[in-house]
Amino acid sequence: MSSNHVVALMMAAGYSRRFGPSDKRCAPLPNGQTLLATSLANAQRAFTHLRVAVREEDDPTLLGLPQDMPLVRVRQAHLGLGASLTEAVGALGRDPGLDNMGAVAILLGDMPYVDPKTLLTLQRLACRDTIVRPCFEGQQGHPVIFGRTMWPALERLSGSDGAKGVIQQYASRLRECPVADAGILRDIDAPADLPGAV
């Protein structure tokens, strides 16, 4: 499948309660950009089609997002990642501009270290009826690419477990892709995870 047929969906609607009172998405990184903007910039180097899922009330400027970035505004973010995925993937399925997309790459907005080359490699493996997941030294990471056949299952998610249940349901369609990229495992959950934190 060509990379033009994979849409990236960056999930950035969560409340990140483990991070404390400040909005994790706005945390500054050494490059001068916010955490979310850095994760997004990596994705933009690899994906032609990209959407960012944010909360209904979010101001994209405060999050460091480009003014022309297409957003999916999620109303049920407080119910967890599964609920946000249900809404966001449903919105992609109803978007006429994405009718020819054969797969969706679910990216997390708190993973700024994924190498764009990894994203390109995963896209090349994507097709309508497979799930592609990277692994580094035997550990499974992100992002995960779901073929369009699995989108209805993503639209039935709930709670905070994300898409694990869909991966289990379609285990026979999972293709693991070994990569030399530890960034697929590194997310920012707490202030101590930020570069330079003590």
Side-chain angles (χ1 to χ4, degrees), residues 171-196:
S172 63
R173 301 189 183 191
L174 178 63
R175 294 180 67 182
E176 292 205 340
C177 175
V179 295
D181 178 9
I184 67 162
L185 307 175
R186 282 186 71 190
D187 61 346
I188 306 292
D189 275 335
D193 298 329
L194 290 166

Side-chain angles (χ1 to χ4, degrees), residues 87-103:
E87 263 191 84
V89 173
L92 298 186
R94 293 188 299 274
D95 185 334
L98 301 176
D99 279 348
N100 65 338
M101 295 294 118

